[in-house]
Amino acid sequence: MKRVIVLFVVALVVLLAMNRQRVFLRDPLGKAYRNDAQLPGVRVYINYSNDVLVEETDRQRTYVVQGWNRIPGLPQALTCLRGMLCWTDADRARQAPLEAVGASPDTEMSDREVSFKERDGTRVRITLR
């Protein structure tokens, strides 16, 4: 029985290592703000490259901001395990433009924070821990 558990854990670690760009783990200390007001009921996920996936439960939408293009968008294929992790279809997730967000060149990303401006001027900021 111990061998089966060890083999399962090793296989899981190998799978996660191979798909580290696709797997987003929940950041329990991550927060999202809109015009400096904290958004309630938001889940923040990050991956190996500090790309950010945000699940807004009140607006019923999930969007991703990836470092390679820095454009917020709705992931086309996303699978989630409730509140723990999500994974996309590819390392560079296919995404549709977020309706409220333009392809703003002023999207800022660091290992601690992601911020962008919506078309109506609202500033969105996501903090990571």
Side-chain angles (χ1 to χ4, degrees):
M1 186 64 175
K2 287 182 184 180
R3 274 193 181 164
V4 172
I5 292 172
V6 169
L7 287 174
F8 176 76
V9 170
V10 169
L12 184 63
V13 168
V14 168
L15 183 67
L16 287 175
M18 289 174 45
N19 294 300
R20 65 183 176 262
Q21 299 293 83
R22 298 176 187 199
V23 177
F24 289 80
L25 297 175
R26 172 98 186 267
D27 180 1
L29 300 177
K31 305 220 181 320
Y33 300 87
R34 185 167 278 118
N35 285 338
D36 294 323
Q38 185 175 343
L39 298 173
V42 171
R43 293 184 187 127
V44 177
Y45 301 83
I46 59 173
N47 72 356
Y48 178 79
S49 301
N50 285 333
D51 298 336
V52 176
L53 180 78
V54 178
E55 188 177 47
E56 292 184 11
T57 55
D58 61 336
R59 296 176 99 180
Q60 296 295 317
R61 72 176 183 180
T62 301
Y63 57 90
V64 65
V65 183
Q66 297 175 333
W68 67 274
N69 69 355
R70 296 180 183 234
I71 299 173
L74 302 168
Q76 296 296 303
L78 182 68
T79 306
C80 292
L81 291 176
R82 190 178 181 118
M84 291 175 37
L85 65 94
C86 295
W87 59 91
T88 60
D89 61 336
D91 289 348
R92 292 184 171 186
R94 292 179 300 131
Q95 60 187 33
L98 194 58
E99 70 277 354
V101 178
S104 175
D106 67 343
T107 299
E108 298 174 15
M109 291 185 77
S110 72
D111 60 344
R112 296 276 182 186
E113 184 175 289
V114 175
S115 62
F116 58 89
K117 192 180 287 187
E118 293 183 349
R119 283 195 181 132
D120 62 2
T122 303
R123 194 87 179 141
V124 175
R125 183 169 54 98
I126 300 122
T127 59
L128 308 170
R129 298 287 171 189

